[in-house]
Amino acid sequence: MKRALIAMGMALCFFGQVQAQNDDFGDDFKEDFESFRRAIHKDFNNFRKKINKEYAEFLKNPWEEFTEKKPLVIPKEDDVPPVIYPEEERNKPFSAPEPLPYDVVIPVPKPAPQPKPVEPIKENPEPMPKVDFLWFGTKLSVRFDTSSALQMTGAREDVVSAAWLELSGQQYTNLVYDCLQLRTEYKMGDWAYLEMLQAVAEKLFGEGTNESVLLMAYLYCQSGYKMRLARDDSGILHMLFASRHIIYDIPHYNVGGERFYPYGECPSSIYISDNAFQGEQSLSLWFAASPRLAVSATSSRTRQSERYPEVKVNLSSNKNLMDFYSSYPTSMVGENFLSRWAMYANTPMSEDVKRQIYPDLKAAINGCDQLTAVNKLLNFVQTGFEYEYDDKVWGDDRAFFAEESLYYPYCDCEDRSILFTRLVRDLLGLRCILIYYPGHLASAVEFSQSDAVAGDYISLEGRKFVIADGTFIGAPVGKTMYGMDNQAAKVILLE
């Protein structure tokens, strides 16, 4: 059945191209084509109805009891405090060192494409009212007929099954379609999309209700994502989601050999329906771009380099985006906890922040050679921000996306390295890496004429990356912070 639908979809695409390229076809051809197109759409809808009916039947089977597994805790290390570079060392010539040793290279994690519905979601042409809702301060709307409001009596298998069948009816098709359109229009990564689905579900069916949980799960599932439904002893419904990445600080349930995480609070013991939906894919925590959120401007903050006062920016952050980033769960790719920093460092700066600070930073480094430009950006990060330990500020380890360091009053070594490498890549187009030492994170830059840049460096397949440490206060490019053990250093590649 699926292969036939794919073939028909390809045929529909072909005939659409033919029709677009030729305006001279007769009415008979056009009528035949429209009949063919309507038949294809009907087959797609019938296939979607079929697999949802099969899934609803699976939901009737007894749900199995599972006990949660303890959350993975972010590794805790002794923090390495910032070091002030002695002023008397500044004018001394660099030695000509051999490449620094390092322990291992962590490859660049590759983001996966976003899941797609197992079959195209086609609009229902019938006019429907719109419902507005808020998602991190951003007003969005979807088509929904409130007379179709779902009502459930508990969360027994038969109740959930019947409700799923009701959701899979034509009256909910435009809701699925609109959510997918919003995902694209507002540049939502998978996590942003999941949070948006919760917002729309709670707007339509109420906060914390079984109906809203099931609607969120349905929309998520129809969009191509892997989820599982669960209930607790109190008859409260829960949704679990699968992730491509191992998430810290959230308990999980091992279902069929795979980790499933609860979205929201969940009891330690629950009953789960372990039924897969055709074509389902796990969520990814990568961001190809920051989501498009309405701007809720904060008061302006000034950041300025001490050594190069012309490197100065005034920034008003978007509180809505900061709130969204606060909701983002820390994770790692595979079993390597170092990969979490690459995920933060590879996330692009928002266009709003770029518009505010990049013109001033570009003006400050305009006409400079690469080394001078990088030294200016490095000193900006070293001296324009106040250092503080995460434990003192947040009570636990927390890495920042680049623009979070521009917003919050304090940042630490990992935040500075993430911000610095983002600026160098965006403003100068130079490749960067992160360097992890036990208790400390630094960075290094590959210059176009690397032989002309002296100082400590790491060699990767013949490419020279010169050390630049945002926490070695006042140190120029090429200086490794005192006390670092390069034998234990791990190199984290960035995009």
Side-chain angles (χ1 to χ4, degrees):
M1 177 67 175
K2 183 66 186 298
R3 289 182 179 178
L5 286 173
I6 292 173
M8 287 187 286
M10 294 174 65
L12 179 61
C13 179
F14 169 75
F15 280 109
Q17 292 173 349
V18 170
Q19 187 184 40
Q21 294 171 3
N22 296 273
D23 297 325
D24 298 328
F25 290 114
D27 292 337
D28 289 343
F29 177 87
K30 292 179 181 179
E31 184 176 343
D32 290 343
F33 173 78
E34 283 302 312
S35 297
F36 176 79
R37 184 182 64 82
R38 287 193 295 268
I40 293 295
H41 290 174
K42 181 178 179 181
D43 284 331
F44 276 130
N45 290 332
N46 287 343
F47 177 66
R48 181 164 168 261
K49 182 177 180 180
K50 175 178 178 293
I51 59 176
N52 274 300
K53 184 176 180 180
E54 291 173 351
Y55 186 77
E57 285 298 314
F58 286 133
L59 289 174
K60 292 180 180 179
N61 297 330
W63 297 7
E64 183 180 351
E65 186 173 9
F66 287 82
T67 302
E68 71 177 14
K69 306 295 181 182
K70 291 183 178 180
L72 182 68
V73 178
I74 296 176
K76 176 62 180 172
E77 299 177 310
D78 293 331
D79 294 311
V80 175
V83 175
I84 305 296
Y85 184 68
E87 187 63 30
E88 60 271 18
E89 295 291 320
R90 173 163 293 279
N91 295 323
K92 290 183 179 181
F94 283 94
S95 60
E98 294 294 317
L100 296 173
Y102 56 86
D103 179 30
V104 69
V105 175
I106 310 301
V108 182
K110 297 296 183 183
Q114 282 193 298
K116 296 181 180 179
V118 68
E119 78 292 328
I121 305 296
K122 302 297 181 182
E123 280 188 282
N124 184 346
E126 297 179 8
M128 297 181 69
K130 287 189 174 183
V131 177
D132 296 332
F133 67 99
L134 283 178
W135 168 66
F136 288 101
T138 305
K139 184 179 177 180
L140 304 176
S141 63
V142 292
R143 286 170 290 180
F144 183 72
D145 185 354
T146 53
S147 66
S148 302
L150 182 72
Q151 291 186 343
M152 299 171 63
T153 54
R156 298 188 317 272
E157 287 89 343
D158 59 330
V159 171
V160 176
S161 173
W164 190 275
L165 274 180
E166 184 175 341
L167 289 174
S168 62
Q170 277 292 97
Q171 65 270 31
Y172 288 89
T173 297
N174 282 342
L175 179 57
V176 181
Y177 181 88
D178 289 347
C179 288
L180 287 166
Q181 294 300 305
L182 291 173
R183 185 180 73 170
T184 299
E185 181 180 354
Y186 287 84
K187 298 182 179 179
M188 299 179 192
D190 292 348
W191 181 256
Y193 187 60
L194 178 55
E195 298 241 285
M196 189 274 286
L197 294 183
Q198 182 197 31
V200 68
E202 292 190 341
K203 172 66 177 182
L204 298 179
F205 290 160
E207 183 176 349
T209 66
N210 284 348
E211 290 85 356
S212 67
V213 172
L214 187 64
L215 177 61
M216 178 178 67
Y218 176 78
L219 295 171
Y220 191 64
C221 167
Q222 299 300 293
S223 301
Y225 294 92
K226 182 183 291 188
M227 68 85 203
R228 296 292 182 266
L229 289 167
R231 71 164 183 274
D232 58 31
D233 286 327
S234 301
I236 296 175
L237 199 63
H238 303 271
M239 192 197 87
L240 314 177
F241 64 92
S243 170
R244 294 177 184 270
H245 311 135
I246 297 176
I247 301 176
Y248 289 98
D249 296 332
I250 300 178
H252 67 276
Y253 301 86
N254 191 327
V255 184
E258 186 172 5
R259 294 171 185 249
F260 280 84
Y261 298 88
Y263 187 81
E265 296 291 329
C266 205
S268 60
S269 179
I270 56 175
Y271 300 88
I272 299 175
S273 173
D274 184 16
N275 296 302
F277 198 88
Q278 186 168 330
E280 62 184 15
Q281 296 183 47
S282 299
L283 162 149
S284 170
L285 289 166
W286 276 101
F287 293 128
S290 57
R292 282 183 52 209
L293 294 169
V295 175
S296 174
T298 65
S299 56
S300 181
R301 185 187 297 276
T302 300
R303 304 288 192 180
Q304 185 173 20
S305 164
E306 290 183 2
R307 181 168 295 278
Y308 308 100
E310 67 273 20
V311 186
K312 177 182 177 180
V313 300
N314 294 298
L315 170 72
S316 177
S317 299
N318 184 356
K319 185 61 167 56
N320 290 333
L321 185 57
M322 297 301 101
D323 290 343
F324 168 73
Y325 281 150
S326 293
S327 78
Y328 173 82
T330 300
S331 66
M332 64 178 175
V333 180
E335 298 286 342
N336 197 309
F337 81 97
L338 301 181
S339 61
R340 62 193 171 111
W341 288 313
M343 297 177 72
Y344 287 92
N346 284 333
T347 298
M349 200 87 79
S350 72
E351 294 302 318
D352 175 56
V353 169
K354 287 180 181 180
R355 282 192 295 269
Q356 292 187 69
I357 70 170
Y358 278 14
D360 289 338
L361 292 176
K362 286 179 179 178
I365 62 176
N366 184 40
C368 297
D369 60 75
Q370 286 182 352
L371 178 58
T372 302
V374 173
N375 266 318
K376 284 187 173 185
L377 295 176
L378 179 61
N379 191 265
F380 170 71
V381 171
Q382 289 170 341
T383 61
F385 301 80
E386 188 170 348
Y387 188 96
E388 190 53 88
Y389 300 111
D390 281 346
D391 283 352
K392 183 175 180 180
V393 178
W394 302 103
D396 204 348
D397 181 81
R398 177 180 172 178
F400 283 163
F401 292 97
E403 59 199 82
E404 287 186 286
S405 293
L406 296 164
Y407 167 68
Y408 290 107
Y410 307 106
C411 59
D412 63 7
C413 64
E414 61 189 15
D415 308 322
R416 292 170 178 229
S417 296
I418 288 167
L419 174 61
F420 172 72
T421 55
R422 184 74 272 160
L423 294 177
V424 170
R425 285 177 289 169
D426 287 354
L427 297 172
L428 296 169
L430 300 179
R431 189 180 178 193
C432 298
I433 58 174
L434 299 175
I435 305 171
Y436 167 78
Y437 305 97
H440 182 61
L441 194 68
S443 57
V445 179
E446 181 186 27
F447 293 85
S448 297
Q449 297 179 324
S450 58
D451 292 340
V453 180
D456 299 333
Y457 70 96
I458 281 177
S459 180
L460 296 175
E461 298 180 349
R463 308 178 74 167
K464 179 180 177 182
F465 290 82
V466 185
I467 302 299
D469 196 323
T471 312
F472 197 6
I473 311 300
V477 170
K479 289 294 183 180
T480 303
M481 195 164 79
Y482 305 143
M484 297 297 100
D485 179 11
N486 269 86
Q487 297 291 343
K490 293 177 174 57
V491 172
I492 305 168
L493 301 183
L494 299 178
E495 292 179 336

